[in-house]
Amino acid sequence: MVKAFKKLHGGDLSKVDMFVGRMMETTPSGPGELFTQTLIDQFTRIRDGDRFWFENEDNGLFSEEERKALMNFTLSYVMQNITGKKMNDDLELQDDVFTVSQDGACSLKMFFNESDLEKCHKPKKYNFFKGSEIPYIIIWTCLGLLPFCKSL
């Protein structure tokens, strides 16, 4: 693949687009070094640029104790409080909601099947031009006559 990229870019890999290069270095185990650094940089900038971010001490929104308490919140904790359900109730919510556990409370009991989807409707077609033919003709006629008006 590297040989093909060198040939495509005249032997100079520095001409490879950064987005393409990031995607090319991504492996099944995760993003490569460039992609990882880009993600870290972007999320750091988003966090540091957010004046309401809970770790921002200058905004005065949270005390030190409240910031420490917020550091212990997880997405599963937030979801439990919003839904009013607790772990392993009928919600079957695991601690780490970002991964799928085959043997945990959230094991895959059924694989998603296309037959479970409701049928798609054909998209509607709209004619945005219908009913505006006369104004369209008038506008383009006026625009076409503008050069002649300057000479008067």
Side-chain angles (χ1 to χ4, degrees), residues 132-152:
S132 61
E133 296 89 352
I134 306 257
Y136 181 80
I137 293 169
I138 292 171
I139 288 171
W140 283 106
T141 304
C142 292
L143 287 173
L145 294 174
L146 275 178
F148 297 113
C149 294
K150 287 185 178 180
S151 62
L152 296 177

Side-chain angles (χ1 to χ4, degrees), residues 13-140:
L13 287 179
S14 67
K15 293 182 180 177
V16 175
D17 180 67
M18 185 182 286
F19 182 78
V20 174
R22 289 185 313 196
M23 299 311 282
M24 295 301 294
E25 72 174 9
T26 302
T27 64
S29 62
E33 186 178 339
L34 177 63
F35 210 162
T36 301
Q37 291 303 317
T38 307
L39 289 172
I40 290 170
D41 178 63
Q42 288 300 305
F43 281 109
T44 302
R45 288 173 185 249
I46 290 170
R47 181 198 65 200
D48 293 348
D50 184 358
R51 66 181 179 175
F52 297 114
W53 183 255
F54 74 96
E55 292 175 306
N56 184 352
E57 297 174 7
D58 296 333
N59 63 18
L61 293 175
F62 301 104
S63 68
E64 184 63 32
E65 296 81 30
E66 290 171 326
R67 278 194 289 280
K68 285 180 182 176
L70 286 170
M71 291 297 281
N72 294 323
F73 282 10
T74 61
L75 184 56
S76 66
Y77 174 80
V78 172
M79 292 169 76
Q80 289 173 37
N81 283 312
I82 289 173
T83 60
K85 306 281 183 178
K86 295 296 175 208
M87 292 279 279
N88 296 326
D89 273 355
D90 51 338
L91 183 64
E92 294 185 3
L93 187 64
Q94 61 191 29
D95 282 327
D96 182 6
V97 296
F98 291 104
T99 58
V100 176
S101 172
Q102 294 293 335
D103 55 342
C106 216
S107 61
L108 296 174
K109 296 179 178 123
M110 176 181 99
F111 286 100
F112 183 72
N113 193 340
E114 189 176 340
S115 63
D116 297 331
L117 296 173
E118 66 180 63
K119 300 294 180 199
C120 294
H121 303 287
K122 288 195 174 237
K124 296 180 181 178
K125 296 180 181 178
Y126 296 100
N127 184 352
F128 294 103
F129 190 68
K130 187 176 182 178
S132 61
E133 296 89 352
I134 306 257
Y136 181 80
I137 293 169
I138 292 171
I139 288 171
W140 283 106

